[in-house]
Amino acid sequence: FLSSLLQNFIGVLLHYVNPILPSCAKFSILLRQPMSKVLLSSIRVLLRGKAHAQLKITKSGERRTVKDDQYILDEKLLAWGKDKCEECESIPILPRGMHQFPFQFALPQSSLPCSLESKLCTIRYYIKVIIDIPYASSPQGIKYFTIIGPHIDCMEEKYLSALVGQDRKTTCCCCCRRGALALRITLDRTAYVCGENIRIRAHVENRQDVSVYINTRLTQHVEYFIEKGVLGESKALTCPVLEHKSPSIAPNSQGKYDSSLEQPIRLPVVPPTLIGVCRLIQIYYILKVCLEDEKGKDSLPMEFPLTVATLPYRVPNAAPPMVDYDFCSEHVEGGRYISPEFRLGQVYDGQATGENGEFAMEDDVILYRPVYVRIADRDRISQRYSKDIISLKRGGATKSGSDVTLTTTHEPNGKSVPNTTVNSSVEAVHELYSKTVQSEAEEPLLNVKI
């Protein structure tokens, strides 16, 4: 009875300024109390960052599940009232009305792993509010948010060094040379942000009787670790991220290829590289370039490490590129799994509401999914900018009385400040940066007879 009564007169709402928090988390609590005064001991706020891994293994014919946790963040603060350790003669009373308790957490300067959702491992960050009531169970509110990390900048010197690989091959038949293949690959830099074009330059010599293609594959490697037992448990997965084929190189010819002049190789939205920031999971990417003939046979394979960064490449003396945030691609780890606790599905009530007596099937409502940084598309920026202008024009009209809310803001020093909040649907206008595309004068793929 007390639990149902509390739900009727106390509501906790957590909202924050920005759901993507790279440096500092600023939140506020809205406490809605339509009934009379309430006895409250305190209002506590918890900031948690937790990595959880779970593997299913088989030992001695027995299948079991091993789990491991790592706490990345664990901070607490008191938003209102007194701590349980302090002696209190009387329980404070919170008057009737809507109260707001602003608070903030300073995130550590060390590199934090990004938010991640996969079937075998999750990295989650959340804010939890607990209202201590001495005579009933304590109401709680929880809000998940996304951390953009770790700090990987494409402008670091180690990522700006070019990588060059070359190899050659000669095929023989009955002690006679049939033809030779030679491939030289140049990767301008080794770190890219999602949405950027991966630039690959190649020089090919094809002295065989068949046409060949330059095949580029990017693979995601994910390794899970659980430090339990003598040796611990681990599991490795690989997921194809992208595959790209260049135009064909004719037999007995040579040519040059530049991906920036042909069809661009764009990096999809994937989780950033995680190496050495979380002991339960490790994510890295390998770029494989090879020659492929008409029968699908690979020759001269070469592998390059590629780092998925969180800060984009900036052209000197130019405006920085505009970044955006998007969900992970569904074909890699981090995007193809959504936890059941974040799905709000529809319940069958026995009524046929569709056409021809069929039951209407509605998609699940996703309560939370982590997002990752990417280079914003120009079309997407212009579309968002036009929507913001329209909303600003509509927001210029007079607001009705139902949009005005009286709240009480409780400052950390104990003062209560009444204020008026106007609820408006006007969105903030995003600043637009002109993106400068840097292209070098490279020759396209040439088919020159030898």
Side-chain angles (χ1 to χ4, degrees), residues 289-410:
V289 184
C290 64
L291 292 179
E292 181 179 334
D293 58 14
E294 298 174 349
K295 297 181 180 180
K297 184 179 179 181
D298 295 345
S299 302
L300 306 179
M302 285 179 279
E303 294 184 350
F304 301 90
L306 190 138
T307 302
V308 178
T310 53
L311 292 177
Y313 177 80
R314 279 91 65 192
V315 179
N317 301 326
M322 186 71 178
V323 297
D324 198 359
Y325 303 93
D326 200 356
F327 301 120
C328 181
S329 301
E330 297 182 356
H331 62 280
V332 298
E333 282 292 308
R336 58 185 180 183
Y337 174 78
I338 301 176
S339 177
E341 59 187 296
F342 295 138
R343 290 180 179 269
L344 188 62
Q346 302 296 328
V347 180
Y348 170 64
D349 57 359
Q351 298 180 0
T353 57
E355 298 180 358
N356 301 325
E358 297 179 355
F359 299 104
M361 300 297 294
E362 298 184 7
D363 296 335
D364 293 343
V365 178
I366 307 301
L367 301 179
Y368 168 75
R369 287 186 68 184
V371 294
Y372 302 97
V373 64
R374 56 163 294 175
I375 299 297
D377 298 332
R378 292 184 177 180
D379 298 338
R380 193 171 181 178
I381 295 175
S382 59
Q383 184 179 6
R384 179 187 301 176
Y385 181 74
S386 61
K387 288 183 179 179
D388 293 337
I389 294 298
I390 294 175
S391 62
L392 282 175
K393 291 181 179 179
R394 293 178 179 176
T398 57
K399 300 178 177 60
S400 60
S402 59
D403 292 334
V404 180
T405 305
L406 296 177
T407 60
T408 302
T409 302
H410 298 263

Side-chain angles (χ1 to χ4, degrees), residues 65-215:
T65 302
V66 291
K67 303 177 182 179
D68 197 1
D69 296 327
Q70 178 186 358
Y71 285 92
I72 305 168
L73 293 176
D74 190 7
E75 298 185 13
K76 305 176 183 179
L77 63 83
L78 190 65
W80 187 83
K82 294 185 178 181
D83 197 0
K84 293 182 178 180
C85 300
E86 300 179 3
E87 296 182 358
C88 184
E89 298 179 356
S90 61
I91 300 176
I93 298 177
L94 189 68
R96 178 181 178 180
M98 182 177 292
H99 305 270
Q100 183 175 0
F101 302 89
F103 63 93
Q104 67 178 7
F105 286 100
L107 300 180
Q109 297 295 330
S110 59
S111 295
L112 297 176
C114 63
S115 302
L116 181 71
E117 289 289 325
S118 66
K119 194 171 184 179
L120 301 180
C121 181
T122 59
I123 302 177
R124 296 173 180 173
Y125 299 89
Y126 60 90
I127 291 286
K128 186 176 183 180
V129 175
I130 303 174
I131 300 179
D132 294 322
I133 298 179
Y135 52 85
S137 59
S138 300
Q140 299 180 3
I142 189 170
K143 194 73 174 182
Y144 290 90
F145 59 90
T146 297
I147 288 287
I148 301 299
H151 181 85
I152 304 177
D153 193 352
C154 292
M155 298 298 292
E156 293 185 20
E157 186 177 356
K158 61 181 179 180
Y159 300 128
L160 295 177
S161 301
L163 294 182
V164 180
Q166 60 182 5
D167 197 0
R168 61 183 298 121
K169 173 185 177 182
T170 302
T171 57
C172 300
C173 180
C174 299
C175 300
C176 298
R177 293 187 176 182
R178 294 185 55 186
L181 278 176
L183 175 63
R184 179 185 177 91
I185 298 295
T186 303
L187 191 63
D188 285 354
R189 52 189 175 97
T190 59
Y192 292 87
V193 172
C194 300
E196 283 189 309
N197 297 329
I198 303 175
R199 188 183 182 188
I200 297 176
R201 292 179 294 169
H203 181 77
V204 183
E205 291 186 6
N206 180 20
R207 300 189 181 183
Q208 294 186 349
D209 298 333
V210 294
S211 300
V212 294
Y213 306 85
I214 301 175
N215 194 343

